[in-house]
Amino acid sequence: MNKWMKFFLLYLGGTLIGMSQLKIAPVINPLSQYLHTSLTQMSLLTSVFTISGIFIAIPGGALVTKIGAKKLLLGIIALLAIGNFLGTVAGSFSMLLVTRVIEGISFSTIVMTAVVLISYWFRDSQYSGTAIGIFTTFPALASLISMNLFLPLSERFGHFASWYLIGGLSVILWFLYFFFLDAPKAEDQSVEEKITAPFRTVLKNKSVWILGVLQGCMAFVLYSYIALYPVLFSDYYHLSQGTANFYSGLFGLFGIPFGVVAGFLLDRVKKSGLVILVAFSTMALACLAAPFLGGVSGLIIAQVFFLSAAAMLASSSITILVPRAAGKEQLIGYSMSFVNLFYYTMIVIGAPLISKIVEQFSWLTGLSVLTGVACIGVIGSIIYLATNQTIKN
């Protein structure tokens, strides 16, 4: 099968995993009433999805090396199906929380696995950076689909209609992956045969550390807004739930092109840190503007656009730069898993923390915290730019 066709199938899987992660946000209010839970607890259903990533991130690089990327991908999709089907029979909030952790294993390993697979399929191609950049847009596409599909779907077929949909599609994808995808064999990926103590080598890499912190800042801001946008628009700006979901869906739509833009820029811009600095500076300004939109459609759309563009540009750029910062091909999986540790930790912390701050204090306080995290990203980008003048392919 052509490498772009294999990439397309992989992208579909990433999007499906992203939809599973985001299926709570569009129905957060009706599902909260059904389960008799608070906003903070419902936000936990979104963030706990990635709690397994905190524990899997470090051994993840060794895992993809030992069992092979294809076998790991098949396991990822199988767990996604199992978690969703179990979710349909969960009779309580606590049981649903457990199924979300099972689903979350897929999200915790898909990016690392995908980077290894794409690097293998495009190893002799000049478009490897572009392919990785495109792949990183899957959360944006998943957000676009989720925010516009899952609320009407649940209203027509029940609260757990999206669980059935994602579970069924996961089974179909499993068979497509089994028959049509290839990957480097596990024995050919043996890092231990070539590099002693690979994680120790990664821990000494300052560039990987900075990229990890930046990815953590991006994830904190991005997934807090993904989880809270529908509530922000409905509760703070008093828009209808349908309108709030529509604006939240634009967040995904606007971000999609900027993964491609990141790949294009990083293949051509010598000072790659400039791209990340522009992304985080734009993100900070968009966060700063969030409490002062006045419910005006044009201002809301502009804020969603700039935040979406900035988050996607930052996320894609960091993901593209990790394999380059790793220095050696054998360290890509380990470096990616280390950066993912920051990424998943901040997803778990972000939405529940901001929800709690909003409940205890105000929306202004919560949104100000998000602005502060984005500013940390700006500072980190400046440090990265100063210490990494040029990263070559």
Side-chain angles (χ1 to χ4, degrees):
M1 181 182 283
N2 177 275
K3 60 177 175 287
W4 283 108
M5 288 299 297
K6 290 185 283 189
F7 171 82
F8 176 72
L9 285 177
L10 183 64
Y11 186 80
L12 286 180
T15 302
L16 194 64
I17 291 170
M19 289 168 60
S20 189
Q21 198 264 343
L22 299 171
K23 64 178 179 272
I24 299 295
V27 297
I28 190 169
N29 285 327
L31 193 59
S32 175
Q33 295 171 9
Y34 175 76
L35 295 172
H36 306 291
T37 56
S38 66
L39 173 62
T40 300
Q41 288 177 302
M42 292 305 298
S43 298
L44 185 60
L45 281 178
T46 297
S47 61
V48 78
F49 188 87
T50 54
I51 195 168
S52 55
I54 298 175
F55 304 101
I56 294 175
I58 292 300
L63 193 64
V64 71
T65 298
K66 291 181 182 299
I67 70 173
K70 181 174 179 176
K71 289 182 180 178
L72 184 57
L73 181 63
L74 291 173
I76 286 170
I77 297 301
L79 287 172
L80 185 68
I82 292 169
N84 274 277
F85 285 132
L86 285 177
T88 64
V89 296
S92 65
F93 173 81
S94 57
M95 285 297 297
L96 190 60
L97 201 63
V98 172
T99 67
R100 292 291 286 169
V101 174
I102 295 173
E103 296 173 52
I105 297 173
S106 305
F107 191 78
S108 303
T109 50
I110 185 60
V111 175
M112 172 193 62
T113 307
V115 169
V116 172
L117 287 170
I118 293 170
S119 297
Y120 174 69
W121 296 334
F122 289 81
R123 61 191 181 279
D124 298 321
S125 173
Q126 60 179 322
Y127 299 109
S128 59
T130 301
I132 293 174
I134 294 173
F135 184 81
T136 60
T137 66
F138 80 82
L141 180 60
S143 176
L144 172 64
I145 296 172
S146 301
M147 292 301 175
N148 290 284
L149 175 63
F150 290 154
L151 180 60
L153 196 68
S154 67
E155 290 174 344
R156 183 168 182 179
F157 298 105
H159 292 295
F160 295 98
S162 56
W163 276 256
Y164 283 109
L165 176 65
I166 294 171
L169 291 175
S170 299
V171 173
I172 295 172
L173 270 181
W174 191 94
F175 283 102
L176 290 174
Y177 287 166
F178 181 82
F179 288 109
F180 295 112
L181 296 192
D182 65 328
K185 296 180 180 179
E187 57 267 22
D188 293 336
Q189 296 181 9
S190 180
V191 177
E192 288 79 6
E193 292 178 4
K194 300 179 181 180
I195 299 176
T196 304
F199 266 120
R200 187 180 302 171
T201 303
V202 170
L203 289 174
K204 293 179 180 179
N205 191 325
K206 294 180 181 179
S207 295
V208 174
W209 271 95
I210 297 172
L211 291 173
V213 172
L214 290 174
Q215 193 77 313
C217 291
M218 184 285 306
F220 189 101
V221 173
L222 173 63
Y223 284 94
S224 293
Y225 271 103
I226 285 176
L228 298 176
Y229 254 148
V231 187
L232 171 67
F233 293 146
S234 60
D235 289 2
Y236 186 70
Y237 287 116
H238 307 294
L239 304 178
S240 69
Q241 192 63 60
T243 302
N245 283 353
F246 170 73
Y247 285 138
S248 301
L250 293 177
F251 190 61
L253 175 64
F254 291 148
I256 292 172
F258 287 91
V260 184
V261 170
F264 177 83
L265 289 176
L266 291 178
D267 282 340
R268 290 160 177 80
V269 176
K270 291 184 178 181
K271 294 185 178 181
S272 54
L274 284 174
V275 179
I276 302 178
L277 178 58
V278 169
F280 275 102
S281 298
T282 304
M283 184 186 300
L285 292 174
C287 290
L288 185 63
F292 310 108
L293 305 176
V296 180
S297 296
L299 293 178
I300 291 175
I301 292 173
Q303 194 273 343
V304 171
F305 172 81
F306 284 109
L307 184 60
S308 176
M312 181 53 64
L313 189 61
S315 176
S316 300
S317 298
I318 293 166
T319 305
I320 293 168
L321 289 173
V322 169
R324 304 179 188 182
K328 295 182 179 180
E329 184 177 355
Q330 298 93 335
L331 293 174
I332 291 176
Y334 290 91
S335 299
M336 199 71 237
S337 63
F338 182 70
V339 170
N340 282 345
L341 177 63
F342 293 88
Y343 180 70
Y344 297 124
T345 301
M346 290 300 103
I347 293 177
V348 171
I349 294 173
L353 176 60
I354 299 301
S355 297
K356 192 67 176 179
I357 291 173
V358 169
E359 287 182 342
Q360 293 292 321
F361 301 98
S362 66
W363 273 105
L364 180 60
T365 305
L367 296 175
S368 296
V369 172
L370 288 171
T371 303
V373 174
C375 289
I376 295 174
V378 173
I379 296 171
S381 301
I382 294 172
I383 295 172
Y384 183 84
L385 180 62
T387 56
N388 295 269
Q389 292 298 322
T390 304
I391 294 182
K392 298 180 181 180
N393 284 310

